[in-house]
DNA sequence: AGCACGCCGACT
DNA sequence: GTCGGCGTGCTC
């Protein structure tokens, strides 16, 4: 006993986190050979190779200490330091630990995936020792060059008086001495929010050590955008971080951000977990965008984590949007965030006039109303461009048999297969949820009727109808199907910019960021989907989308209009849209949310379960709810009944969900903190995951 | 989450 | 006789 006690005090113990869904941390011993080369404290923040079960795996050292509760015979020594060149900073370890706690995951599940695969790959025992991954990656990072910008710097635009006012308010918050602050920049489409960000970035980057992070929605990170940034910051290394990049490229950019070699980092949500060298400013562009929410694995919010990041490095964060999320708008109204507004377009360009077209009871087979067709004809006749917005890709949402009412139901999902037309002109039925597809049947599979008809329309059919209506017009289409082909989207957009397209047809992919100089007409074909959806956030998203798509029109001063086809023109959402009145719409939304006890006035977490049988998933959630009820004896949380998800079956897996809600975030998280470990302990055939602050219910 | 161990059906 | 099905137990 004596010997053990003295051993345990003299021995260095390392706390290590690992990418496994068990809480940890795990204690390991430091072998003598490694202890001799450096103080144990120097290993904190380093990646190490560990013996794990029967094999080896990667860990991150979070603490060096001298005692442990782990039985001596169970305590193993770390094998080696994997990447001595990389020490993760303390603030970063705290940020990932905070995120892990907030999303109720193990710290390793947040920390380790944030490091590029290339830098955390286990060494292959090929015998010969080669350069470390870090060293090899250093060579790659050194080769990073400026983004190709076609034309030389187009110069710095002059600021409008609104932009001057916004910057005058923003710049004093940027110095390091000002610490953490959140600013919401609300500016109508075309008001020059980007110019305000860029001035703030330029201001911060005057300090040769400083770095700025610009977060963009998933589809915003394009080569063109990077090129335009490069033109603005000639000679400066701009790193890009997004999930689509190849391992090597990603690692090189990441390393440039970590060493400080890259001064400006542009990234999608995952970039928030980069251990920046000296971050001094965070900008979240289009902060309301749903793509900031990670929908797989750890369901984190890139926007919320951007705020957490800024608070950990003690710098300013700027959230920008024409249609801020209700969460951010409410925070700004309450003074928790500084609010800056850009109420007018640059150059006092008029916002487009919005007209509502009542299509109730009309069944135009091509989906376009008479006024819309007339407006398109007029627009194209004048040599201007029209954008037709339809949030539905494919040819038609469903194939239908008029004789027996058969519909093209997916075999694996509770959804219809969508009729598509491939490049050979052949019709196929494709499920947008499980991707299963088959040639469209020539005759009804149920009754043999050969007269099958497509119901409704998608972008493909709309494109076809438009070509019939306007045989002379040059039509371009942009949706995810087009985007699948390499370079196809870019080609259509380039043609549109060059004035070689008269009519652009597309889904919401077209709604964001693009700036078509000749565009004077926007037609929204079906504005009503989502208006009466079960998800209380659906109208908020619809409003944002419509504002966004309307904003494409007339950005360069052409008299422009937006036609919105709807069956309910009297709906207040459309009234606010016509008036370009975000504040009024947000005000009524927030009042409703407060009345109904919904976010941002309550806090939610969603427990989702999947099983082959719906009853099994529901039963799991019922048991979880019961457990939660006993843990929340004081009744601080509202525990709803488990229900099937709106899309109950995907790829033959049945899904259900349990909503937990509280007026107190603290109480909700206290409950989750007790509930989750118990759920982990129970052995169940049900797959489940927790979504804190769910965006889709 | 992986991954190994472990105990019961259709194959050489 | 064996390959392999996925149930359950563990990872400092």
């Amino acid at each position: 006993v004596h010997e053990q006690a003295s051993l345990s005090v003299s021995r260095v113990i390392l706390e290590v986190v690992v990418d496994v869904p068990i809480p940890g941390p795990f204690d390991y011993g430091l072998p003598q050979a490694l202890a001799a080369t450096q103080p144990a404290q120097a290993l904190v923040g380093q990646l190490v190779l560990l013996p794990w079960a029967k094999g080896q795996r990667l860990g991150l050292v979070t603490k060096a200490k001298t005692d442990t509760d782990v039985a001596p015979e169970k305590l193993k020594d770390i094998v080696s330091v994997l990447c001595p060149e990389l020490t993760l900073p303390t603030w970063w370890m705290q940020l990932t630990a905070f995120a892990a706690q907030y999303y109720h995951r193990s710290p390793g599940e947040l920390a380790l995936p944030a490091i590029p695969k290339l830098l955390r790959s286990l060494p292959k025992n090929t015998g010969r020792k080669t350069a470390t991954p870090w060293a090899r990656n250093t060579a790659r990072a050194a080769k990073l060059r400026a983004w190709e910008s076609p034309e030389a710097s187009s110069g710095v635009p002059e600021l409008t008086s609104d932009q001057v006012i916004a910057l005058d308010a923003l710049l004093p918050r940027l110095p390091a001495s000002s610490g953490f602050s959140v600013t919401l920049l609300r500016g109508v489409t075309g008001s020059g929010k980007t110019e305000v960000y860029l001035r703030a970035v330029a201001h911060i980057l005057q300090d040769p050590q400083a770095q700025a992070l610009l977060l963009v929605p998933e589809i915003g990170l394009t080569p063109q955008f990077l090129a335009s940034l490069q033109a603005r910051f000639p000679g400066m290394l701009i790193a890009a971080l997004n999930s689509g990049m190849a391992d090597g490229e990603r690692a090189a950019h990441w390393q440039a951000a970590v060493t400080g070699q890259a001064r400006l980092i542009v990234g999608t949500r995952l970039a928030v977990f980069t251990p920046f060298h000296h971050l001094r400013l965070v900008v979240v562009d289009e902060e309301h965008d749903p793509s900031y929410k990670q929908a797989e694995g750890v369901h984190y919010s890139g926007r919320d984590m951007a705020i957490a990041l800024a608070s950990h490095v003690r710098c300013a964060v700027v959230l920008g949007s024409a249609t801020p999320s209700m969460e951010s708008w409410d925070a700004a109204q309450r003074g928790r965030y500084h609010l800056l507004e850009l109420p007018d377009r640059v150059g006092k360009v008029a916002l487009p006039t919005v007209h509502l077209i009542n299509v109730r009871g009309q069944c135009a087979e091509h989906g376009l109303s008479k006024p819309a067709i007339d407006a398109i004809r007029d627009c194209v006749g004048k040599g201007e461009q029209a954008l037709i917005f339809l949030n539905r890709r494919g040819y038609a949402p469903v194939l239908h048999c008029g004789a027996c009412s058969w519909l093209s139901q997916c075999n694996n999902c509770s959804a219809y297969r969508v009729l598509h037309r491939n490049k050979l002109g052949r019709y196929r039925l494709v499920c947008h949820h499980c991707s299963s597809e088959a040639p469209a049947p020539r005759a009804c599979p149920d009754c043999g009727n050969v007269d099958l008809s497509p119901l409704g329309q998608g972008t493909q059919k709309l494109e076809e109808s438009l070509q019939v209506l306007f045989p002379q017009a040059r039509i371009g289409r942009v949706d995810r199907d087009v985007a699948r082909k390499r370079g196809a989207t870019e080609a259509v957009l380039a043609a549109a910019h060059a004035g070689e397209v008269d009519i652009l047809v597309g889904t919401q992919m077209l709604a964001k960021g693009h700036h078509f100089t000749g565009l004077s007409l926007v037609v929204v074909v079906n504005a009503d989907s989502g208006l009466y959806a079960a998800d209380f956030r659906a109208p908020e998203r619809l409003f944002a989308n419509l504002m966004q798509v309307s904003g494409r029109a007339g950005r360069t001063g052409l008299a422009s209009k937006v036609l919105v086809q709807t069956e309910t023109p009297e709906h207040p959402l459309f009234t606010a849209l016509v008036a370009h009145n975000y504040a009024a719409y947000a005000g009524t939304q927030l009042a409703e949310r407060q009345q109904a006890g919904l976010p941002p006035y309550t806090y939610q977490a969603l427990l989702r379960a999947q099983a082959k049988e719906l009853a099994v998933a529901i039963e799991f959630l019922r048991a979880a709810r019961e457990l939660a009820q006993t843990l929340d004896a004081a009744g601080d949380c509202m525990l709803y009944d488990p229900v099937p998800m709106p899309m109950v079956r995907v790829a033959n897996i049945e899904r259900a969900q349990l909503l937990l809600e509280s007026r107190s975030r603290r109480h909700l998280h206290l409950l989750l903190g007790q509930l989750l470990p118990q759920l982990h302990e129970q052995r169940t055939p049900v797959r489940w995951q927790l979504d804190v602050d769910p965006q889709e219910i």
Side-chain angles (χ1 to χ4, degrees):
Chain A
V1 177
H2 251 66
E3 255 176 36
Q4 276 187 9
S6 64
L7 263 177
S8 68
V9 280
S10 63
R11 189 115 160 76
V12 173
I13 304 295
L14 299 174
E15 259 183 34
V16 177
V17 298
V18 170
D19 184 13
V20 290
I22 36 181
F26 299 90
D27 288 349
Y28 280 84
L30 178 62
Q32 214 61 105
L34 276 171
T37 59
Q38 68 207 302
Q41 198 55 41
L43 287 169
V44 173
Q46 296 220 327
L47 295 179
V48 288
L49 195 58
L50 306 167
W52 179 268
K54 298 282 153 71
Q56 291 189 336
R57 79 187 291 145
L58 184 69
L60 170 66
V61 180
T62 51
K63 198 175 181 183
K65 57 186 185 178
T66 52
D67 54 357
T68 176
D69 295 336
V70 176
E73 68 276 11
K74 282 203 153 186
L75 189 75
K76 296 175 186 169
D77 284 355
I78 65 165
V79 176
S80 61
V81 176
L82 190 78
C83 190
E85 302 95 330
L86 174 66
T87 301
L88 280 319
T90 308
W91 67 262
W92 182 85
M93 308 250 276
Q94 288 168 349
L95 171 68
T96 52
F98 163 77
Q101 186 183 301
Y102 188 79
Y103 292 109
H104 297 272
R105 296 299 195 113
S106 80
E109 282 179 290
L110 274 119
L112 291 164
I115 296 154
K117 277 210 179 68
L118 219 74
L119 293 171
R120 62 180 158 97
S121 53
L122 299 186
K124 288 163 284 179
N125 37 332
T126 47
R128 273 191 309 129
K129 71 168 184 189
T130 50
T132 62
W134 181 273
R136 260 179 285 140
N137 200 39
T138 302
R140 226 183 328 244
K143 287 195 200 119
L144 291 178
R145 285 190 292 117
W147 300 91
E148 214 154 302
S149 27
E151 60 243 54
S153 173
S154 46
V156 177
E158 225 161 88
L159 294 180
T160 66
S161 54
D162 287 337
Q163 287 171 325
V164 169
I165 293 168
L167 269 170
D168 281 349
L170 182 57
L171 293 187
R173 281 183 218 125
L174 301 187
S177 57
S178 300
F180 168 64
S181 67
V182 186
T183 301
L184 177 62
L185 176 62
R186 204 235 131 202
V188 300
T189 53
S191 62
K193 289 185 292 293
T194 308
E195 187 53 33
V196 175
Y197 309 147
L198 294 184
R199 296 282 182 127
V201 167
H203 184 83
I204 215 84
L205 294 185
Q206 284 169 9
D207 170 358
Q209 298 291 306
Q211 292 178 299
L213 169 65
L214 174 54
L215 286 184
V216 294
E218 220 144 48
I219 58 165
L221 190 45
T222 61
Q224 294 89 310
F225 181 63
L226 289 165
S228 71
L229 276 179
Q230 190 71 73
R232 193 59 187 272
F233 300 101
M236 181 171 285
L237 186 60
I238 303 177
L241 292 169
N242 78 292
S243 55
M245 292 166 82
D247 283 355
E249 200 187 7
R250 165 110 163 258
H253 285 262
W254 188 85
Q255 192 162 323
V258 172
T259 59
Q261 189 188 340
R263 307 286 311 287
L264 176 57
I265 296 90
V266 187
T268 56
R269 58 177 182 262
L270 61 82
V272 295
F273 293 119
T274 308
F276 298 98
H277 181 251
H278 189 55
L279 186 65
R280 294 303 325 147
L281 174 66
V282 181
V283 176
V284 185
D285 192 20
E286 308 293 358
E287 67 88 21
H288 67 282
D289 195 285
S291 78
Y292 282 120
K293 178 80 187 205
Q294 167 77 30
E296 268 146 34
V298 184
H299 294 244
Y300 65 89
S301 155
R303 182 237 297 145
D304 293 351
M305 290 303 106
I307 294 168
L309 165 64
S311 92
H312 279 80
V313 300
R314 310 225 44 81
C315 76
V317 53
V318 180
L319 311 177
S321 177
T323 50
S325 63
M326 290 304 130
E327 284 77 3
S328 300
W329 186 247
D330 179 63
Q333 296 299 306
R334 288 161 185 275
R336 282 204 294 123
Y337 298 171
H338 303 276
L339 178 62
L340 300 177
E341 297 199 78
L342 300 174
D344 298 310
R345 283 184 156 184
V346 171
K348 297 282 175 192
V349 167
L351 284 162
T353 54
V354 178
H355 304 270
L356 303 174
I357 302 172
N358 190 347
V359 291
R360 193 183 300 153
Q362 293 189 20
C363 53
E365 57 182 298
H366 36 61
L368 290 170
S369 61
K370 175 92 173 23
I373 294 169
D374 292 344
I376 296 167
R377 178 174 298 116
D378 189 47
C379 170
V380 173
K382 283 191 288 186
E384 296 171 0
Q385 289 175 311
L387 189 160
I388 321 296
F389 178 72
L390 173 61
N391 221 350
R392 220 162 212 182
R393 67 191 171 92
Y395 190 82
V398 62
L399 188 63
H400 172 242
C401 169
C404 76
S405 306
W406 172 86
L407 292 163
S408 53
Q409 176 73 47
C410 175
N411 303 330
N412 316 320
C413 308
S414 45
Y416 295 122
R417 280 184 173 160
V418 177
L419 191 64
H420 279 251
R421 228 178 148 174
N422 68 14
K423 50 185 176 289
L424 301 167
R426 299 209 206 296
Y427 290 100
R428 298 182 68 80
L429 288 172
V430 181
C431 176
H432 286 185
H433 302 276
C434 73
S435 303
S436 66
E437 58 173 288
R442 285 155 176 246
C444 175
D446 279 4
C447 74
N449 167 30
V450 292
D451 201 15
L452 298 177
S453 53
L455 287 189
Q457 59 268 313
T459 45
Q460 282 185 325
K461 188 171 168 197
L462 187 58
E463 181 186 17
E464 193 180 277
S465 309
L466 283 162
Q467 197 66 80
V468 172
L469 286 163
F470 306 103
Q472 313 296 323
R474 297 161 298 177
I475 300 176
R477 176 165 63 89
V478 174
D479 55 30
R480 223 159 75 214
D481 299 314
V482 173
R484 266 217 311 263
K485 290 159 231 152
R486 220 184 153 72
T489 312
E490 292 73 18
V492 176
L493 292 175
H497 284 293
E500 291 157 12
V501 171
D502 302 308
I503 304 174
L504 262 173
V505 179
T507 57
Q508 57 183 320
M509 274 187 71
L510 266 180
K512 287 167 192 167
H514 302 292
H515 193 317
F516 302 105
T517 46
L519 190 74
S520 66
L521 174 69
V522 169
V523 177
V524 180
V525 175
N526 176 11
D528 296 335
S529 61
L531 204 51
Y532 301 102
D535 187 343
F536 69 89
R537 265 185 261 260
E540 177 187 343
R541 286 194 290 265
L542 174 63
F543 186 75
N545 269 335
L546 292 176
M547 286 282 273
Q548 205 67 238
V549 77
S550 304
R552 297 315 100 206
R555 289 174 66 119
T556 41
L558 286 175
S560 60
K561 61 180 172 180
V562 177
L563 302 183
V564 179
Q565 296 190 164
T566 169
E567 295 193 1
T568 53
E570 66 281 0
H571 195 287
L573 185 149
F574 295 121
T575 317
L577 184 71
V578 168
H580 300 287
N581 197 341
Y582 166 81
Y585 184 65
T588 55
Q589 269 292 303
L590 285 174
E592 276 177 35
R593 300 267 185 98
Q594 189 146 36
Q595 181 86 32
L598 290 168
Y601 306 104
T602 56
Y603 301 92
Q604 297 181 327
L606 200 60
L607 189 61
R608 296 201 181 90
Q610 295 99 33
K612 292 253 165 69
E613 305 275 342
L614 180 60
V616 174
I618 296 271
E619 178 50 33
F620 167 83
L621 294 176
R622 222 189 41 73
R625 180 180 188 271
E626 211 145 283
L627 186 54
Q629 209 134 38
T630 62
L631 294 170
D632 181 43
D636 294 313
C637 298
M638 172 87 169
L639 310 169
Y640 288 82
D641 284 328
V643 292
M645 282 176 64
M647 172 85 40
V648 62
R649 191 163 52 104
V650 171
N652 282 320
I653 302 292
E654 305 276 347
R655 302 129 35 106
Q657 62 189 28
L658 166 66
L659 182 63
L660 305 107
E661 187 182 271
S662 179
R663 294 205 170 262
S664 149
R665 176 172 266 164
R666 198 173 67 86
H667 281 118
L668 177 65
H669 280 260
L670 280 174
L671 172 60
L672 292 173
Q674 292 180 281
L675 178 63
L676 271 276
Q678 300 210 31
L679 289 183
H680 274 296
E681 269 169 36
Q682 74 187 59
R683 206 134 295 281
T684 164
V686 175
R687 284 178 61 90
W688 60 269
Q689 59 286 135
L690 181 75
D691 187 351
V692 175
D693 304 329
Q695 293 302 296
E696 280 176 55
I697 301 199

